[in-house]
Amino acid sequence: MSRGDTRAPSAHPGMAATRGPMAPSSPEQVSHLPEGCRPLPATTSISIGQSVLKVWHGVCRSDLIPQITVQHPLAMAQNGVVPSEATKRDQNLKRGNWGNQIEFVLTSVGYAVGLGNVWRFPYLCYRNGGGAFMFPYFIMLIFCGIPLFFMELSFGQFASQGCLGVWRISPMFKGVGYGMMVVSTYIGIYYNVVICIAFYYFFSSMTHVLPWAYCNNPWNTPDCACVLDAANLTNDSRSAALLSNLSHPLNHTFQRTSPSEEYWRLYVLKLSDDIGNFGEVRLPLLGCLGVSWVVVFLCLIRGVKSSGKVVYFTATFPYVVLTILFVRGVTLEGAYTGIMYYLTPQWDKILEAKVWGDAASQIFYSLGCAWGGLITMASYNKFHNNCYRDSVIISITNCATSVYAGFVIFSILGFMANHLGVDVSQVADHGPGLAFVAYPEALTLLPISPLWSLLFFFMLILLGLGTQFCLLETLVTAIVDEVGNEWILQKKIYVTLSVAVAGFLLGIPLTSQAGIYWLLLMDNYAASFSLVVISCIMCVSLMYIYGHQNYFQDIQMMLGFPPPLFFQICWRFVSPAIIFFILIFTVIQYRPITYNHYQYPGWAVAIGFLMALSSVICIPLYALFQLCRTDGDTFLQRLKNATKPSRDWGPALLEHRMGRYSPTIAPSPEDGLEVQPLHPDKVQIPIVGSNGSSRLQDSRI
């Protein structure tokens, strides 16, 4: 198929592509027209090969015509996008589409750009050679990140299905979709707890003096030493001793604890001494968790129609906040030192496998590959959307955001280190330690500190919500697509509400006094090596089971051009090899999980591994189930039948089914194609033959 070829199949198999008058030739034929339709003028001429249904689209009452439109073969634009598809109407009336392509791009950016861009990448960068880390990072982006991103977007867009429905391409591997759902469930539960803590800090910042600025609060201990007081101390021996204790704000080595750390540990969390000691549920956190889920539900109340409007704010405003914090940070004394510490290259580390492993892992995890969200978001695109262009834009934006966030973080940390007279490495941290301890403490040193605190935590909330929207929509879409009947499509709002309520209830234990232990356990195990396994199996099934040539032809039919040669090579060889390298690196570098000085007990680590295995085990279990229910006299026949595409695999809409997807028999409702009857009763359409005679055609399709 040539670039931009959008020729539509005939409305009925075997229909001749001829031209002739479409008007009924006798009053008897007019009597067979559906009520509300008028015959076309006798001079009207149209290509039957486009579709008889297309002719009737503008002459019948809208409630009687089928909701199908077929593109004229000349109505093409660059990059395979059909001009009429750029209009506001939905192409897929059952599922709906994005209001426009900007909504999809912003949603995908919000999904990929999350909390990890702020609290993990800068730490990895300075720990792995500063500026030298950028080299393997962008190499992995080019050879692994963008190709995998493009693969998932094209996969979901071609089939217009979520992470379960797309596996009609090879039913035996549908367990991969279930594995993605399990991963998204785990992440969705604990991710919203992080957002609720950010909400708590945001509300706590609405005061004249930040509550973690001083040590005169009821929850503070005698070990608390305030950073603000250090600036007013004289230069005596007692002051020198205190300043030496101030050299490590996060209490990794010294006895001194900062007020921000005590606020986090003793007041916000009321941290228990063991993961098994749940203690009480922290009611303020529980209330903020409820607020988080209500916000997520309201933004998804109409699916992509409502979330697509919200992302105009949630995906763009974090960049405004980052820019404000960046401008403020670089004007502080010591900011240059912090930025240079972040960027100064240590080229000798390039030769270490650990640096390349960290780069590959960060690219893989930060883009959200194998979560199911990319497939789900792309499934709401119109069929001819240029997802190749989108994948490059979104991937580069995600990585550029990580680099930019590093400047913001380390400019503030450099100022803090200069204020304390210590090295930047002693105030740098990652994860919750950076977001809720180190950075809040640094903010207390700034003039009008509550304002900067409000901006910082508002940014964290928006970054988290952008990812949470897609996690919830992934689960809802998978459920709705799997059931697939009209009732659940009309009641999708109740499915969304049910998933939100379930997520809230499952998140309650994470608001207890042992909640942070469980949150970090889920973060370390639920979405670790299982994602690598899922992604590797997806690559193998598409390229080697379904066949790379078949997949390349599908993309050409959808975009008007085949995937570039570089991506073909990456999908078949390079990306699977890098994914396998990430898996090996993850296993070799495995260390038992700890939180500060707390060592997790063996039973808790075992639960973590079970969480990781629970998503991977879906793949072999469903494969066995599919083999047992597939027809075949021998095992090899069953295996062949279970891996070949289903009869209904292909574009969701009949108008896009051409080439090898052209229907040879009348599609049935079970095929999952969006074909609505002209009338509840059998409707007959006058069809003009090549000899000019008319006949009546049954319109049930």
Side-chain angles (χ1 to χ4, degrees):
M1 183 180 300
S2 62
R3 177 184 175 91
D5 189 355
T6 55
R7 289 173 294 180
S10 301
H12 190 274
M15 186 181 296
T18 60
R19 292 183 179 271
M22 289 298 298
S25 59
S26 66
E28 290 78 7
Q29 291 174 350
V30 175
S31 65
H32 287 284
L33 296 178
E35 181 183 355
C37 295
R38 55 183 173 78
L40 290 170
T43 57
T44 302
S45 176
I46 194 165
S47 169
I48 299 179
Q50 292 180 43
S51 175
V52 173
L53 302 176
K54 171 101 173 181
V55 181
W56 284 56
H57 184 70
V59 297
C60 297
R61 272 195 357 227
S62 59
D63 59 333
L64 297 178
I65 61 174
Q67 303 299 323
I68 299 177
T69 59
V70 182
Q71 308 300 334
H72 192 279
L74 297 179
M76 299 180 293
Q78 293 181 349
N79 299 328
V81 179
V82 179
S84 62
E85 292 175 348
T87 60
K88 291 294 184 181
R89 71 176 179 84
D90 281 348
Q91 209 175 55
N92 193 321
L93 295 171
K94 282 186 177 180
R95 300 175 84 250
N97 295 111
W98 296 104
N100 56 62
Q101 213 46 40
I102 296 178
E103 293 181 6
F104 166 68
V105 172
L106 289 178
T107 301
S108 300
V109 168
Y111 174 64
V113 177
L115 298 174
N117 297 71
V118 173
W119 74 26
R120 178 168 171 80
F121 174 80
Y123 176 81
L124 283 179
C125 192
Y126 100 82
R127 192 184 73 177
N128 289 295
F133 181 71
M134 302 291 184
F135 179 74
Y137 182 73
F138 285 107
I139 290 293
M140 291 300 175
L141 169 67
I142 294 171
F143 287 96
C144 183
I146 297 178
L148 289 178
F149 207 92
F150 181 29
M151 173 182 282
E152 292 202 27
L153 291 190
S154 60
F155 195 19
Q157 181 174 307
F158 183 80
S160 297
Q161 291 287 308
C163 61
L164 290 182
V166 292
W167 290 103
R168 294 169 181 170
I169 194 172
S170 186
M172 196 178 86
F173 291 95
K174 193 175 182 178
V176 174
Y178 284 109
M180 290 177 174
M181 285 188 65
V182 172
V183 169
S184 292
T185 300
Y186 286 140
I187 298 175
I189 291 171
Y190 79 77
Y191 213 82
N192 227 20
V193 176
V194 178
I195 298 173
C196 94
I197 298 174
F199 264 115
Y200 184 85
Y201 270 79
F202 176 77
F203 295 140
S204 300
S205 301
M206 297 178 180
T207 179
H208 294 294
V209 178
L210 294 175
W212 57 84
Y214 295 99
C215 291
N216 57 354
N217 300 290
W219 59 83
N220 291 127
T221 66
D223 293 329
C224 180
C226 181
V227 174
L228 292 174
D229 292 338
N232 301 321
L233 292 175
T234 59
N235 213 13
D236 57 16
S237 59
R238 178 177 176 275
S239 303
L242 181 55
L243 282 173
S244 68
N245 285 340
L246 286 173
S247 63
H248 207 295
L250 300 181
N251 194 27
H252 291 302
T253 305
F254 301 97
Q255 292 300 316
R256 180 260 175 186
T257 57
S258 66
S260 63
E261 183 182 356
E262 292 197 348
Y263 180 78
W264 161 251
R265 181 168 50 87
L266 301 178
Y267 184 74
V268 177
L269 301 179
K270 287 191 176 179
L271 191 64
S272 64
D273 57 354
D274 185 72
I275 188 173
N277 182 14
F278 284 91
E280 64 179 11
V281 172
R282 298 287 294 119
L283 294 181
L285 292 182
L286 182 63
C288 289
L289 181 64
V291 171
S292 301
W293 277 111
V294 168
V295 170
V296 173
F297 169 71
L298 292 179
C299 292
L300 289 174
I301 196 167
R302 294 182 59 234
V304 297
K305 292 299 182 186
S306 54
S307 67
K309 302 300 181 290
V310 175
V311 294
Y312 281 104
F313 179 73
T314 60
T316 57
F317 196 73
Y319 291 96
V320 177
V321 178
L322 274 175
T323 302
I324 293 173
L325 293 174
F326 173 74
V327 172
R328 182 66 184 115
V330 295
T331 58
L332 296 171
E333 186 179 358
Y336 178 78
T337 304
I339 291 174
M340 291 307 297
Y341 192 89
Y342 165 55
L343 291 179
T344 301
Q346 303 171 34
W347 295 110
D348 57 309
K349 291 196 173 184
I350 287 283
L351 301 177
E352 297 180 11
K354 180 178 180 298
V355 175
W356 290 84
D358 278 343
S361 299
Q362 178 63 14
I363 284 291
F364 182 83
Y365 293 123
S366 67
L367 288 176
C369 298
W371 290 17
L374 298 178
I375 294 175
T376 301
M377 295 302 104
S379 71
Y380 292 102
N381 280 332
K382 293 180 180 179
F383 185 74
H384 292 293
N385 169 64
N386 192 341
C387 58
Y388 165 65
R389 171 202 59 206
D390 296 340
S391 62
V392 175
I393 293 174
I394 297 166
S395 300
I396 293 178
T397 300
N398 172 70
C399 296
T401 303
S402 297
V403 177
Y404 186 41
F407 284 95
V408 176
I409 296 298
F410 272 87
S411 63
I412 299 291
L413 295 182
F415 164 69
M416 184 178 182
N418 178 76
H419 186 87
L420 294 173
V422 299
D423 192 74
V424 179
S425 62
Q426 293 180 299
V427 296
D429 198 5
H430 70 288
L434 172 68
F436 302 117
V437 179
Y439 208 84
E441 183 171 9
L443 293 174
T444 62
L445 303 176
L446 301 177
I448 324 177
S449 55
L451 172 62
W452 307 113
S453 182
L454 281 170
L455 287 174
F456 177 73
F457 289 110
F458 189 55
M459 178 187 70
L460 290 187
I461 291 170
L462 295 182
L463 289 175
L465 288 176
T467 302
Q468 190 68 18
F469 291 157
C470 296
L471 290 170
L472 185 63
E473 186 62 40
T474 297
L475 299 175
V476 172
T477 298
I479 295 171
V480 171
D481 285 349
E482 185 67 7
V483 177
N485 57 41
E486 292 294 332
W487 181 87
I488 200 168
L489 287 168
Q490 295 172 359
K491 305 296 183 182
K492 185 178 178 180
I493 183 175
Y494 297 110
V495 179
T496 306
L497 178 62
S498 301
V499 174
V501 170
F504 170 75
L505 295 176
L506 292 172
I508 291 178
L510 302 186
T511 62
S512 68
Q513 291 179 257
I516 192 65
Y517 297 125
W518 289 98
L519 188 151
L520 293 175
L521 185 72
M522 296 177 72
D523 183 45
N524 275 270
Y525 290 97
S528 56
F529 71 88
S530 57
L531 290 178
V532 184
V533 174
I534 289 172
S535 186
C536 188
I537 294 177
M538 183 176 68
C539 280
V540 171
S541 60
L542 292 182
M543 293 296 105
Y544 298 100
I545 305 299
Y546 178 63
H548 63 276
Q549 291 294 348
N550 290 332
Y551 196 71
F552 299 160
Q553 291 172 13
D554 290 345
I555 291 180
Q556 180 169 0
M557 184 176 78
M558 179 172 65
L559 301 183
F561 57 91
L565 180 62
F566 172 78
F567 286 88
Q568 297 182 24
I569 296 173
C570 284
W571 286 347
R572 295 182 62 193
F573 308 110
V574 181
S575 296
I578 293 177
I579 294 172
F580 186 71
F581 166 70
I582 297 173
L583 179 60
I584 299 300
F585 171 77
T586 304
V587 173
I588 292 176
Q589 197 178 326
Y590 171 76
R591 298 289 183 275
I593 183 176
T594 60
Y595 176 59
N596 291 342
H597 297 295
Y598 177 74
Q599 187 76 37
Y600 279 69
W603 62 267
V605 175
I607 291 177
F609 276 109
L610 288 176
M611 282 193 291
L613 290 174
S614 63
S615 55
V616 176
I617 199 67
C618 295
I619 301 173
L621 288 180
Y622 191 87
L624 290 174
F625 168 74
Q626 187 67 24
L627 282 172
C628 293
R629 64 196 294 260
T630 302
D631 296 330
D633 297 329
T634 65
F635 175 78
L636 289 179
Q637 286 180 343
R638 287 174 175 266
L639 185 64
K640 182 179 179 180
N641 292 334
T643 54
K644 71 180 182 181
S646 301
R647 187 167 65 94
D648 55 348
W649 162 250
L653 303 184
L654 186 65
E655 65 191 89
H656 296 136
R657 285 185 168 251
M658 53 189 113
R660 69 178 185 273
Y661 295 106
S662 298
T664 56
I665 59 174
S668 64
E670 290 77 14
D671 288 337
L673 302 179
E674 184 176 339
V675 180
Q676 300 180 10
L678 291 171
H679 194 273
D681 301 324
K682 178 178 177 180
V683 178
Q684 293 181 321
I685 299 176
I687 301 297
V688 180
S690 58
N691 59 359
S693 61
S694 299
R695 58 188 175 85
L696 297 179
Q697 172 65 45
D698 186 353
S699 67
R700 290 183 301 174
I701 58 175

